[in-house]
Amino acid sequence: MKKKVAALFLCTVLGASVMGGCGNSKDSGTTDTGTKAEAPSDTSQPAPAETEGEDMSDTNLAAGNVSGEAGAAGAESAEQFEATEIQLFAAASLQNVMEELIGMYNQKQPNVTVTGSYDSSGTLLEQIENGFECDVFFSAAQKQMDTLENDDSLVVEGTRSNVVNNQVCVVALKDSNTAVTGLDNIKEAASFALADGSVPVGKYTRQALVADGQLTEAEDVSTITTQEVSEQLGVEISEQGNVSKVLMAVAEGSCEVGTVYYSDYIGYEKKDALDVIEKIPYDLTGNVIYPIGQIVNTEADDLQSAAAADFIQFILSDEANAVFEEYGFDTNIQ
């Protein structure tokens, strides 16, 4: 049975245009929860052609479990894999750090092509569920990984790990003279760039606003619509499809403030043009944990599955941790 392969022509989400400036409108690349998303974009590799492969789910599961002992040994070994390719789906906020880490991994394993596809975790989840080929999923929140593991049974057993923590922050253009001093008076902004509720940073922002008493409580804060946020805060909001587009909306001056991850600010090439007004406390957002896991891929052979497990072990290594820290992530995960 054929599976769709994500169209992988560089998302370059930081370069994506922000739709419609700051208004109660959704950017054209964004989908609401429950709407089928377009394929994510690739960082560097052309989209592989659709291929037919026999169902190898059993061998995939067996190979995937090498991420424990054999996978760890493979990460330490000088033995190189034969030529293969793995598909990485990762949150948009991971794009810069993952591209650096892929380069480092290829110094150890030059024959393994890691094709990175970056978008909001909600969009990537939807694409995996819709049959796009994926070997490794690196989410910006637990919710999407929970769905793949518990509802869809698509996470290879024993391969899921928490990798880093992040922190949501309020940003504005430097010298913007904004009256906003933090989340508690964000309603004083003339315009606010906010990711939709299916995007982890959008969910965490909503959680913080609920905890701060500015939004009405909800059983699932991700279901609070952008329109409801706008009405309750009394501020004009431009809804964005991922965290990188929020950052661009602020950096381009189309929105006065926005909520992004601290790592996005650190990794932004023109961060000197921005001010971090506030790092929102974890007491309001909760921990922003990024889990990684190997995805059941019935298209993959044993070599591809073993390479995926080996790549995950590299991401969990002390060497990779040092790079994550350089990009503003917290690797002290309890």
Side-chain angles (χ1 to χ4, degrees), residues 291-304:
I292 196 170
Q294 186 172 352
I295 301 304
V296 175
N297 180 4
T298 57
E299 297 282 336
D301 57 18
D302 289 347
L303 175 61
Q304 184 175 338

Side-chain angles (χ1 to χ4, degrees), residues 35-51:
T35 304
K36 185 173 180 180
E38 295 179 358
S41 305
D42 174 29
T43 60
S44 57
Q45 301 294 332
E50 289 188 346
T51 56

Side-chain angles (χ1 to χ4, degrees), residues 1-297:
M1 177 179 181
K2 289 188 177 181
K3 293 184 70 178
K4 292 175 281 186
V5 180
L8 303 167
F9 35 81
L10 179 57
C11 174
T12 318
V13 286
L14 287 178
S17 60
V18 179
M19 184 75 176
C22 249
N24 289 325
S25 60
K26 194 173 184 74
D27 108 44
S28 61
T30 307
T31 59
D32 291 317
T33 304
T35 304
K36 185 173 180 180
E38 295 179 358
S41 305
D42 174 29
T43 60
S44 57
Q45 301 294 332
E50 289 188 346
T51 56
E52 289 193 15
E54 57 181 325
D55 185 348
M56 301 192 69
S57 56
D58 292 338
T59 56
N60 285 352
L61 288 170
N65 283 328
V66 303
S67 68
E69 297 177 3
E76 298 296 329
S77 173
E79 183 178 353
Q80 294 181 354
F81 288 99
E82 296 178 4
T84 190
E85 180 178 6
I86 62 175
Q87 304 293 330
L88 165 70
F89 280 26
S93 54
L94 290 165
Q95 179 170 351
N96 291 337
V97 66
M98 289 307 295
E99 286 305 296
E100 181 168 338
L101 288 171
I102 288 170
M104 292 171 60
Y105 179 71
N106 283 146
Q107 292 177 13
K108 301 174 181 292
Q109 294 290 351
N111 298 324
V112 178
T113 299
V114 182
T115 300
S117 181
Y118 306 96
D119 210 322
S120 76
S121 299
T123 296
L124 296 174
L125 164 66
E126 198 169 73
Q127 289 165 346
I128 294 170
E129 291 180 319
N130 286 338
F132 289 103
E133 185 177 354
C134 174
D135 297 292
V136 177
F137 180 45
F138 199 170
S139 175
Q142 303 277 21
K143 179 180 179 180
Q144 289 76 19
M145 192 70 78
D146 287 345
T147 298
L148 286 176
E149 182 173 34
N150 301 327
D151 298 345
D152 302 327
S153 300
L154 287 176
V155 177
V156 177
E157 184 177 357
T159 67
R160 177 175 175 172
S161 294
N162 294 333
V163 185
V164 294
N165 203 347
N166 212 340
Q167 194 161 11
V168 180
C169 58
V170 181
V171 295
L173 274 177
K174 191 177 291 294
D175 302 323
S176 66
N177 296 317
T178 179
V180 176
T181 57
L183 186 74
D184 60 351
N185 71 334
I186 202 165
K187 63 180 64 177
E188 295 187 30
S191 52
F192 176 17
L194 175 67
D196 73 68
S198 71
V199 180
V201 74
K203 177 202 168 197
Y204 288 122
T205 300
R206 287 163 170 77
Q207 177 62 52
L209 288 166
V210 169
D212 197 46
Q214 297 189 63
L215 290 183
T216 303
E217 291 187 13
E219 184 175 348
D220 181 358
V221 296
S222 66
T223 64
I224 302 174
T225 68
T226 299
Q227 183 65 31
E228 290 171 333
V229 177
S230 178
E231 291 173 354
Q232 292 185 46
L233 295 184
V235 63
E236 183 180 7
I237 295 179
S238 176
E239 181 179 285
Q240 302 299 326
N242 60 49
V243 65
S244 300
K245 292 179 181 180
V246 173
L247 183 65
M248 287 300 298
V250 178
E252 293 176 349
S254 58
C255 290
E256 183 176 332
V257 298
T259 50
V260 302
Y261 294 122
Y262 184 64
S263 64
D264 288 281
Y265 164 76
I266 291 295
Y268 183 52
E269 61 181 356
K270 298 180 180 178
K271 65 176 178 290
D272 291 343
L274 298 172
D275 277 332
V276 174
I277 298 174
E278 179 192 27
K279 286 185 178 180
I280 302 174
Y282 288 127
D283 288 347
L284 296 180
T285 62
N287 285 322
V288 185
I289 302 296
Y290 285 52
I292 196 170
Q294 186 172 352
I295 301 304
V296 175
N297 180 4

